[in-house]
Amino acid sequence: MLEPVNISIQSLNLVTLAPMLIAIVGALSIIVIDLVKGGLDKSLYVMLTVLFLFLDLGAIFNFIETVSANGTLLGFFDVILIDGLAILSQLIIVGASIIFIPLSLTSKRFHEYNYPEYYALFLFMIAGFQFMVASDNLILIFVGLETASLALYALIAMHNREKSFEAAVKYFTMGALAAGFYSFSSMVFYALTGSIEINQIAAVLAADGYANIGYVLVAVIFMLASLGFKLSLVPFHTWTPDVYEGSSAALAGYMSIVPKIAAFVVAMRLFEFLIHSGVVWLEIVLYAAVVLTMTAANIWALVQKDVKRMLAYSSISHAGFAMAAILIGTTQSNSALFLYWILFVFTNLGAFTMLWVSRQKTLLPGQSSDHPYEKFAGMVKTMPLAATMMALFMLSLAGIPPFGIFWGKLYLIGSAVSAEYPMLALIMALNSAIAGYYYLKLIIYMFMKEPIDNASSSSYMLNASLPLKTIIGLAALATIFSVAMVNPLMEFITAMVYNSGY
Amino acid sequence: MLDNILTILIFFPALAAMLGFVVEKGSIRAFGVSVATVEFVLSLALWYAYDPSVVGMQFMESMPLIPAFGINYLLGIDAISLFIIVLATFITLIGIATLGEVKNIKNMIITLLFLEMTMIGVFSALDAIVFYVFWELSLVPMLYLIGAWGGPKRIYASIKFFLYTFTGSLIMLVGMLFMAYFYYQATGAWSFSILEWYRLVLPENLQLWLFVAFFMGFAIKVPMFPFHTWLPYAHGQAPTIGSVILAAILLKMGTYAFVRFSLPMFPDAAVFFMIPIAIIAIIMIIYTAMVAYAQEDIKQVVAYSSVSHMGVIILGTFALNVEGITGSVFLMIAHGVVSGALFFLVGVIYDRRHTKMMSEFGGLAHVMPRYATIFGVMMMASVGLPLTINFIGEFLSLLGFYKQSHILTLLAGTAIIVGAIYMLTAYKKAFFGEVTNEKNKNLPDVNKREMFALIPLVIITIWLGIYPKPVLEPINNSVEAIVSLMNEKAITQEAKNRIPDPMAAKVSTPHGGTH
């Protein structure tokens, strides 16, 4: 006869679920509000979403003190794991969402923003990402990943253009493949170790001295492929430019940041112990992926004719950069990853918002995409301030000091140097030099070419509204004065990462 | 106020540039001139307050920027940077004051003021990252100057300029990070302070690698053969003011950085690479002189001759003794004045005829006597005629290197003399003979505004050529400090021999007198 299961509510530690629950409750209440009274304006939903996200943020802040004192916090049958990594990445996820969702307050009407479901899906997606980073249980990570991805596919398709459907289906197919890889890899890990907790897997593998190295290799390769799809590592990146092109610029910018930081945290949890296991080929596989991602994406970006596609390739290359931090695997490099990503949030936010405000409803005559380089020709003559902003974000992406991403790059290359990876440091530096060219290309179009005939000064700001302009201003300020926030951020991040044992 | 004078010098033009956006288009020129004048007066005040008898850095300022990573806002100057700063503010002033009719003059003046900020920042930074920030930032205004106001191939030229220097400096950045890391290993704390790096003695093989990493950044900036190909393009396409500032100040960043970073930080590597670099420098002198001879565009002649003289500066720097380095630093100033003036002069004729082809000219001395005179003086200075400013620098540089290698110095010296041929030929083609081209018959001579730029340059050229002491002596003191540091730090015996201790020489002189 089975023993009756007795679980005290106390031991569940339900508070660890609070951040995700807030997002889910938010999503549900938006749907309920729509049921009670339809036809409400999008501004209401946007503001509600922002409010719930602020509550979410507050719940995460709550953990900081406990975690800095005790290290980690377990909850809900010990599948939820709140440590420094979880806190940092949730702060980035929720923070970035707060500044991205007001991008739907455009002056032009886009039909997806009038559906309350859009905001509900958005909040479900955030909850999914939060589950993904706040666990070291392979199954819960998988559930979070799929929740978030399914919501994201729908969000892309809601843009309701032919290219958006193509993008959503493409992303969905690739995502399904990645999910298959993920579950296969988890299965192998489970078969090898009898556990689905990452720290248990690490302990068992270490205990038997990586005896079944062949199987571990299979599991790692499949895991790398699956996360590679989410992180858009070469050669699993093929969907990225098409999906970015098909989605609205706002969502593309969002996709270049939030899903990736969630995947980085999973990668960090999984690969870190493997790299430190002393098995050389694990390192070689990752090394190859990192170098290939940085370099190949940069070279493809050189030949793009559309700014959004260029930014898509550039975000692949930046992902390669951040992946290098995981390869290096020291506390310094893992902290550098978070610093890099926070600075990247502001700059990329600015760049994609600039594209978003210049979005026209129909394509200009003679253009095959929304944002060809030619569209920006001579922008400095018609809209000097907007052109300067755009140039600022490009310079930051190129890593010109003293703008945002430079400090991330500095710290990341610095961590490569201090972990005795001189070749990697050099490759990263040379890649920054290659990347300089395509960011420069846009600046050259804006500042040194003559305007095209049919562009009136307003065509760059068609979509701009006060909230959007505020966001651009915020991003620009954060990019210019980033040097002031690097030190406090660095101290906080390092403490958090160190506390989690990475 | 003098405590923060360097910060004021750096950020005053930047602040003015931002306010410049508000100034109305018609009044922007007056605004630019006033700002540049204030800046120039401030730099003169800096010179006045500078105490040449003090060894080491003066007007130091320090503020933590990213203390967790050892990055501080650390400024300070010695005589080597002092005079380049004064030169930078001076050239910017006369550059803005004599701007011709250009489109978008407001944007240009704002760009020039930003550029002034970055130049002064580079020469007064004592923290490697602060140095790097200004070093990279200086590329952006220059890119815009060339790309927006340049000739027909301006976009190609500006990208080439940007990418070359950007690539080099990223390799240098990796070098800086390694240096900071080695400092961390030795002391347990990260630091990017150049002064603290000076105290770090590295084993020779590390020195060699780091020297190469820094060399990539500096050599492309100078530019040294074979990385010089971006420069003629940049000069060829840049507007007059762009060429003037590029030749007079921006190229000096490279040679200055050799003196500030490479020599005192890696003395053994400097000795190791001395002969190869000297050979590159001599190739630079001879090869670019030959290329200059074959040019038909008068601006290209000046551009190549400017590269050629940068070779002499490098040679002097890598003499690794007080005479050579003092000479090369002095030659940096001289080169700034003379090649700046030559580019101004080319700009004067270009404004009138909108061509730079020498075949279009001839007999200009009849039509424009004052122009021909000033051009003549500057050309003589450029070929190193005694009693002009260039002569002192070249002479000291060669004298310094003569102590290291007789043959190479002889070769370089001959090359400089032979190099005079192309300048004289160019001058003859343009100024003497009959006025063959109808269009040249009625060209107006140099006007007042242009005189304002050129006369002070002529005065400096001759004044410092005859009486260089007020500049030479402070430089000499600062260089002695660097050379004695190098001597003290050198590990290998060969390096000790190659780098004579200036202090020892000083002590022994009175003894020599008593015998």
Side-chain angles (χ1 to χ4, degrees), chain A residues 332 398 400-402 406-407 410-411 413-414 417-418 420 422 425 429 432-433 437 440 444 447-449 483 486-487, chain B residues 66-69 71 129 132-133 136-137 143-144 147 154-155 159 162-163 166-167 170 173-174 177-178 181 185 190:
Chain A
Q332 194 192 3
I400 305 277
F406 168 72
W407 303 106
L410 179 75
Y411 211 79
I413 299 180
V417 163
S418 56
E420 313 265 342
S432 303
Y437 179 76
L440 209 57
I444 279 164
F447 280 76
M448 296 166 199
K449 300 220 166 175
V483 61
V486 169
N487 200 51
Chain B
I66 305 178
F69 203 40
I71 300 172
I129 295 298
Y132 183 80
V133 167
E136 288 284 75
L137 213 50
L143 170 88
Y144 187 42
R154 58 184 197 272
I155 289 182
I159 294 183
F162 190 96
L163 287 185
F166 190 48
T167 311
L170 277 162
L173 180 67
V174 176
L177 284 165
F178 264 103
Y181 173 59
Q185 279 191 323
W190 286 84

Side-chain angles (χ1 to χ4, degrees), chain A residues 365-381:
Chain A
Q367 293 182 353
S368 56
S369 57
D370 276 325
H371 310 285
Y373 279 102
E374 288 77 22
K375 184 174 140 186
F376 296 92
M379 193 171 166
V380 70
K381 301 231 167 66

Side-chain angles (χ1 to χ4, degrees), chain B residues 451-487:
Chain B
M451 279 296 201
F452 175 78
L454 295 170
I455 294 295
L457 289 171
V458 172
I459 293 174
I460 294 174
T461 307
I462 294 171
W463 166 49
L464 286 181
I466 296 171
Y467 185 63
K469 201 176 161 214
V471 173
L472 205 53
E473 203 170 74
I475 292 179
N476 194 56
N477 288 345
S478 295
V479 168
E480 271 178 7
I482 288 181
V483 174
S484 70
L485 177 76
M486 285 168 68
N487 174 275

Side-chain angles (χ1 to χ4, degrees), chain B residues 34-101:
Chain B
S34 356
V35 171
T37 312
V38 173
E39 182 78 358
F40 177 56
V41 171
L42 278 174
S43 71
L44 287 183
L46 183 74
W47 185 0
Y48 178 75
Y50 180 83
D51 183 354
S53 60
V54 174
V55 177
M57 297 296 167
Q58 302 185 28
F59 308 105
M60 297 268 287
E61 285 175 47
S62 179
M63 192 183 81
L65 215 54
I66 305 178
F69 203 40
I71 300 172
N72 296 299
Y73 175 76
L74 185 64
L75 304 179
I77 55 161
D78 59 4
I80 299 170
S81 23
L82 170 72
F83 291 109
I84 305 184
I85 289 176
V86 176
L87 180 71
T89 59
F90 177 63
I91 295 279
T92 313
L93 169 64
I94 58 176
I96 292 179
T98 58
L99 270 184
E101 289 310 313

